[in-house]
């Protein structure tokens, strides 16, 4: 898959989920956008979990840990370049490595992810 295909396939989903890593708690509007975007993509909870762990968390957690990073909002263009670059390299041992350490890269936002999954289940009419 090339960079343009990644942007076309995942770009809006990645940008919709990025507020999970901001310094502030996501608001109602943020969660509504996330749920709407996820529903548009028609992804299962299992697929979403791996997108969260492997495609997003390795890049986004670096923003969270950096003292020079953006805390209130992201530069969408710069963030997309970082996400595309990471995902183009996400093969073989890198994929396995990030899967192994994904608990560490997701732990600071796991409570927000749980909230999003609960909202998604409610939107789908499934028991949470």
């Amino acid at each position: 898959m090339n960079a343009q295909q990644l942007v076309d396939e995942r770009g809006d989903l990645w940008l919709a989920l990025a507020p999970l890593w901001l310094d502030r708690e996501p608001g109602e509007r943020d969660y509504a956008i996330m749920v709407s975007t996820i529903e548009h993509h028609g992804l299962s909870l299992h697929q979403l979990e791996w997108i969260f762990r492997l495609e997003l968390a390795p890049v986004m957690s670096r923003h969270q840990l950096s003292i020079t990073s953006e805390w209130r909002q992201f530069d969408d263009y710069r963030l997309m370049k970082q996400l595309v670059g990471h995902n183009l390299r996400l093969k073989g041992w890198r994929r396995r490595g990030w899967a192994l350490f994904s608990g560490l890269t997701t732990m600071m936002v796991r409570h927000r992810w749980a909230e999003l999954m609960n909202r998604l289940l409610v939107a789908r009419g499934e028991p949470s």
Side-chain angles (χ1 to χ4, degrees):
M1 185 174 296
N2 66 35
Q4 188 59 53
Q5 288 172 312
L6 274 173
V7 170
D8 292 345
E9 186 175 313
R10 292 276 206 256
D12 63 331
L13 180 65
W14 290 339
L15 292 178
L17 296 176
L20 293 170
W21 280 270
L22 289 174
D23 192 34
R24 61 171 175 75
E25 286 295 319
E28 291 297 321
R29 186 172 189 278
D30 295 317
Y31 281 120
I33 290 169
M34 290 179 214
V35 168
S36 173
T37 305
I38 290 168
E39 290 295 82
H40 173 76
H41 283 267
L43 298 165
S44 71
L45 296 181
H46 181 74
Q47 290 169 312
L48 283 168
E49 180 70 27
W50 286 106
I51 289 168
F52 172 65
R53 288 173 167 239
L54 297 179
E55 295 180 15
L56 284 165
V59 173
M60 303 307 293
S61 62
R62 289 183 209 139
H63 281 276
Q64 239 179 353
L65 298 174
S66 170
I67 60 172
T68 62
S69 188
E70 301 152 69
W71 288 90
R72 295 285 171 202
Q73 64 183 3
F74 294 112
D75 174 347
D76 289 350
Y77 178 76
R78 185 169 153 235
L79 181 58
M80 189 61 66
K81 281 179 58 175
Q82 293 169 338
L83 287 164
V84 167
H86 164 75
N87 282 279
L88 287 174
R89 293 184 303 274
L90 193 58
K91 296 175 179 66
W93 67 269
R94 280 191 173 102
R95 184 175 200 82
R96 290 188 298 277
W98 283 119
L100 180 64
F101 291 105
S102 65
L104 293 172
T105 59
T106 61
M107 72 181 176
M108 292 176 69
V109 297
R110 185 52 74 173
H111 66 287
R112 294 174 180 175
W113 182 254
E115 176 65 23
L116 174 60
M117 292 301 99
N118 285 334
R119 289 171 184 251
L120 183 61
L121 289 172
V122 168
R124 291 181 175 178
E126 298 177 21
S128 54

